[in-house]
Amino acid sequence: MGTLSLLKCYTPFSSILFAHSARAANHAAVFRRKKLPSFRAISSSQPSTAEKNHDDGKSFRSKSHSPEVWLHNTMSKKKEVFKPKVESKVGMYVCGVTAYDLSHIGHARVYVNFDLLYRYLKHLGFEVCYVRNFTDVDDKIIARAKELGEDPISLSRRYCEEFCQDMVTLNCLPPTVEPKVSEHMPQIIDMIEKILNNGYAYDVDGDIYFNVEKFPEYGKLSNRGLEDNRAGERVAVDSRKKNPADFALWKSAKPGEPFWESPWGPGRPGWHIECSAMSSTYLGYTFDIHGGGIDLVFPHHENEIAQSCAACNKSDISVWMHNGFVTIDSVKMSKSLGNFFTIRQVVDVYHPLALRYFLMSAHYRSPMNYSNIHLESASDRIFYIYETLHECESFLNQHDQTVRRDSVPQDTLNIIDNFYDVFLTSMSDDLHTPVVLAGLSDPLKSINDLLHTRKGKKQQFRIESLAALKKSIGDVLTVVLQQLKKKALKRANLTEDQILQKIEERAAARIQKEYAKSDAVRKDLAVLGIALMDSPNGTTWRPTIPLALQEQQIDAR
């Protein structure tokens, strides 16, 4: 196999970790209004993506060479080999936001991590039906609407659109379908009727409650006994219930609240039934992956299991996945506690890729603490990655393509192969993204050596090596560098003209041999997160971690 043919085996890592498609860019405007096929339709006998890719010769590898994927299952409390129920196809449901306010970075962590899983499964050749809902009918929405004097459905629609825009900003691919509660009342009512008919629920004056004592397996996901459980609702306990742990499937209408007609009178659904109904609508009662934040294990996902099994005794989800909290000073970030930063607040001063990198820098199941030093470090690393790729691309563009031969040195191929092995092994090991990000160091260092060191400049087939390394890491978006610089200027409260003026002042001081003054200029800028880079071609600047935060890092070690 020729070298260039060999390189076709590698898909750029950025297409999995960072890049987004044109489809995502239009997501907020389209807002997924059209009806999409269910998983059952998608699961019809068609050639898999892997097979189609393999047939046209563009596959990174044939699916037979793909590694086993291991995912941690909250139900079994261990990692398991992932085996989809339908060969080559995956049904995945992730609980979406309750749309009553802007989303915070705790939400960002959920949806970036499941975006990574979605991308990686597609990368391996699976055809994925990814369903992520919107809760647009809920007590919190009604309370916020009353506070603002706004119609609850209009308020939730507005925040659904804001959420979509945040996902585009974070380069998250749009799911296959994003159902809303308000658009699925017939399915919700139908599921409640099934649960009632099967003897698992009861009616109290138009309120329908699930009877947890009728479901012996209640608590199997969270390992809670009935004596440990609370009501599992977003409202106060109702004394009319048979058991305090019983939860509402349908709530009778209250004055001034939105309602829908039902066999039990006007009302609206409880929180938990919504996801059971929408997941079964698009994926059926048996599918592969159900995910969300760890705070959803109980009561939300525990109640989903009970409802779905009560409606259909063949209900079965293979893997339950949950990500850890984002904390501030070791306390969970949440709207109810008021200790949160919205996605908008963070990306106002940091590049979205820096936030995405930060969220991938810890394993998805581990708790992660939010701090400026972590965002500064992520921003610095993103700049280094894109600067390296930009310099590589600029160098390659200056050389005639015809001088490149189908030959890359073995040591370069080893670096590429080792990186790709790390990528596949780590991503297949329960999405171990920190190891993948660390694995970037060798190919990036190799590019910098070839571009800047005396030994690298003399290496045979230097251009071929650079082209191969760049291809293995990913295509560069040169605009990212300017965006990163713009965010750094905002954090430093400086303009680029002011920095250029400082560079001129420093150059003049050096000519006059006023080295203390020249050092002071460099240090003053470093304090603000601006690093000056001297080279034979002059002095340039780049974002860096502010000096005080660098010193904090050293002290912490």
Side-chain angles (χ1 to χ4, degrees), residues 72-262:
H72 185 272
N73 191 348
T74 305
M75 183 67 78
S76 66
K77 310 297 185 289
K78 63 183 181 181
K79 286 191 288 189
E80 301 172 351
V81 176
F82 175 64
K83 294 180 179 179
K85 294 180 181 295
V86 179
E87 186 177 359
S88 301
K89 302 181 191 298
V90 176
M92 179 169 76
Y93 187 94
V94 175
C95 291
V97 293
T98 300
Y100 69 96
D101 203 347
L102 293 174
S103 297
H104 57 64
I105 60 173
H107 297 126
R109 189 180 192 195
V110 178
Y111 304 117
V112 165
N113 280 309
F114 283 101
D115 178 68
L116 286 169
L117 177 60
Y118 180 38
R119 289 174 183 270
Y120 188 58
L121 292 172
K122 287 163 67 73
H123 174 77
L124 293 179
F126 292 104
E127 190 170 352
V128 185
C129 182
Y130 175 19
V131 182
R132 185 182 66 205
N133 76 292
F134 281 112
T135 294
D136 63 342
V137 178
D138 184 78
D139 295 322
K140 291 183 178 182
I141 296 169
I142 293 168
R144 184 72 189 280
K146 284 181 180 177
E147 178 186 322
L148 298 176
E150 190 173 348
D151 175 69
I153 298 299
S154 297
L155 176 113
S156 61
R157 183 183 300 115
R158 175 159 57 86
Y159 281 115
C160 287
E161 291 169 351
E162 297 288 359
F163 172 83
C164 288
Q165 187 55 57
D166 285 341
M167 293 301 100
V168 171
T169 299
L170 290 174
N171 291 350
C172 291
L173 291 172
T176 313
V177 61
E178 291 183 273
K180 293 181 185 177
V181 173
S182 62
E183 297 171 355
H184 290 77
M185 287 301 164
Q187 293 89 340
I188 291 169
I189 290 169
D190 179 65
M191 177 172 273
I192 294 173
E193 286 186 305
K194 288 177 180 176
I195 295 170
L196 276 167
N197 292 338
N198 290 339
Y200 288 91
Y202 55 94
D203 185 339
V204 181
D205 302 324
D207 292 319
I208 310 300
Y209 289 102
F210 188 92
N211 189 342
V212 294
E213 291 183 347
K214 293 283 188 176
F215 188 69
E217 293 182 290
Y218 190 77
K220 64 181 180 179
L221 182 69
S222 58
N223 282 342
R224 288 170 174 262
L226 277 180
E227 65 278 6
D228 302 321
N229 292 331
R230 56 185 183 273
E233 293 192 70
R234 295 185 169 191
V235 292
V237 174
D238 189 334
S239 60
R240 300 174 302 161
K241 295 191 294 185
K242 295 180 179 180
N243 186 304
D246 293 351
F247 54 91
L249 301 176
W250 187 262
K251 301 177 180 182
S252 57
K254 295 180 178 63
E257 293 185 356
F259 64 87
W260 287 260
E261 293 297 334
S262 79

